[in-house]
Amino acid sequence: MLSEPAYVVALGASTPIGRTAWSSAAAVRAGISGFTHYPHLMDSAGEPVKIALAPWLDLSVTGVERFWALLRPALEQVLELRMQRNPDLRMALALALPSHRPGLEPSLPSDLVGLVKSDCADVFAATAVFPNGHAAGIVALEAVCKKLAQGVFDACVIAGVDSYAQPATLEWLEDCDQLHGAGPLNNAWGFIPGEGAGALLVVSRSVAEQFRDVLYAQVLGVSTATESKCIKTETVCIGEGLTHAFRGALQSLPAGETVSDVYCDMNGEPYRADEYGFTCLRTAESFQSASDFVAPADCWGDVSAASAPLSIALAAIAARKGYAKGSTAFVWASSELGERGAATLRVAHGASDAR
């Protein structure tokens, strides 16, 4: 459980289906997908590789430049509020990134941090990188909540960015039999790679009063864990790590209250669905309906390290726009290398400032 609550006061995003958090959330709500075919690349069955791409980015933009092109607008959206309200906030940046994989330069984290520092000048007093894949944003959130409670910073931007739009990465996914495809020779249970960035401005309780009119969510609980029986191994995962993360995040639920809205990074792979199924069996009493969840990978593809910040933004906007089922949202994510994370949020209902 958290020793002190933390609060989300600003949202940012850039995805294949929207260039802000609000437009991306509207597209997810409408079921719009950003799927297209990656040019000049076929899968093992001779079919074009399906991918979700940001349509405003040319494929000639690659590597750290592509990550920065996705991340920068998301950062700008959350930093705008800081400049309007309190430019003197002691603020840090927690950057969620993918773990190492083919197609990513080993220098990506340091290169991206360099671009952030160059562009944002003296905005951030400190920067930390969390290269933990899908669960990176929740790993970052857990660390940030501790720092805010200790008074190390007044606020922190939690940002996640990822892109599978590299030929070497897509070929690796195909070699691992993870690319989704149609037809008898293709993998109907793979996933569609995506790309995107999400950002959150999170503040301490002592600072939250300055942002009272724009509070989106209170972080009630956040927890991380490690799963030893990972995908791409010969072991059978029964959700032990994810269950541990769920139970830690759910400890903060008031007695008799249940989670109304669930957001997650499930992407169509049976491994993830099975893991969640086992976890739900152990924690079902905490949910109104654990099987009623939002998995936006069917709109913007699998966005890996951007998953958690984007999911939290979706939960916050759903409440603000009035289509959330209740006031308690739950976000979880599951990384290929074993990191698991979950967060419980009190989302704020009310009139929106939708763009």
Side-chain angles (χ1 to χ4, degrees), residues 7-13 71-83 89-96 116 120 123-130 136-137 140-141 143-145 148 153-160 197-204 309:
Y7 298 84
V8 178
V9 298
L11 315 170
L71 176 62
R72 185 178 182 180
L75 287 178
E76 289 175 344
Q77 290 162 43
V78 296
L79 292 177
E80 180 182 358
L81 179 66
R82 170 189 179 265
M83 292 304 298
L89 281 178
R90 295 175 302 144
M91 191 158 65
L93 171 66
L95 190 55
V116 171
C120 297
V123 172
F124 300 114
T127 300
V129 174
F130 298 83
L141 178 62
V144 165
C145 287
L148 292 176
F153 303 107
D154 299 319
C156 186
V157 172
I158 299 175
L200 312 168
L201 178 56
V202 183
V203 302
S204 64

Side-chain angles (χ1 to χ4, degrees), residues 229-314:
K229 301 177 179 64
C230 297
I231 194 171
K232 300 176 184 172
T233 68
E234 297 300 319
T235 57
V236 177
C237 178
I238 56 173
E240 293 163 306
L242 193 61
T243 299
H244 185 80
F246 270 43
R247 285 174 172 164
L250 291 167
Q251 285 180 10
S252 58
L253 270 181
E257 188 171 339
T258 54
V259 170
S260 58
D261 298 80
V262 178
Y263 293 80
C264 64
D265 64 350
M266 280 209 290
N267 60 8
E269 291 184 292
Y271 174 93
R272 291 173 178 273
D274 292 345
E275 177 183 43
Y276 183 52
F278 282 114
T279 300
C280 288
L281 288 174
R282 302 186 186 103
T283 59
E285 69 281 356
S286 298
F287 296 87
Q288 293 179 15
S289 176
S291 61
D292 186 9
F293 56 83
V294 177
D298 62 355
C299 295
W300 55 44
D302 185 312
V303 293
S304 187
S307 296
L310 287 173
S311 290
I312 291 172
L314 289 182

Side-chain angles (χ1 to χ4, degrees), residues 174-194:
E174 174 69 357
D175 290 342
C176 294
D177 198 30
Q178 288 183 280
L179 282 183
H180 174 80
L185 298 178
N186 288 38
N187 180 16
W189 303 109
F191 69 86
I192 296 175

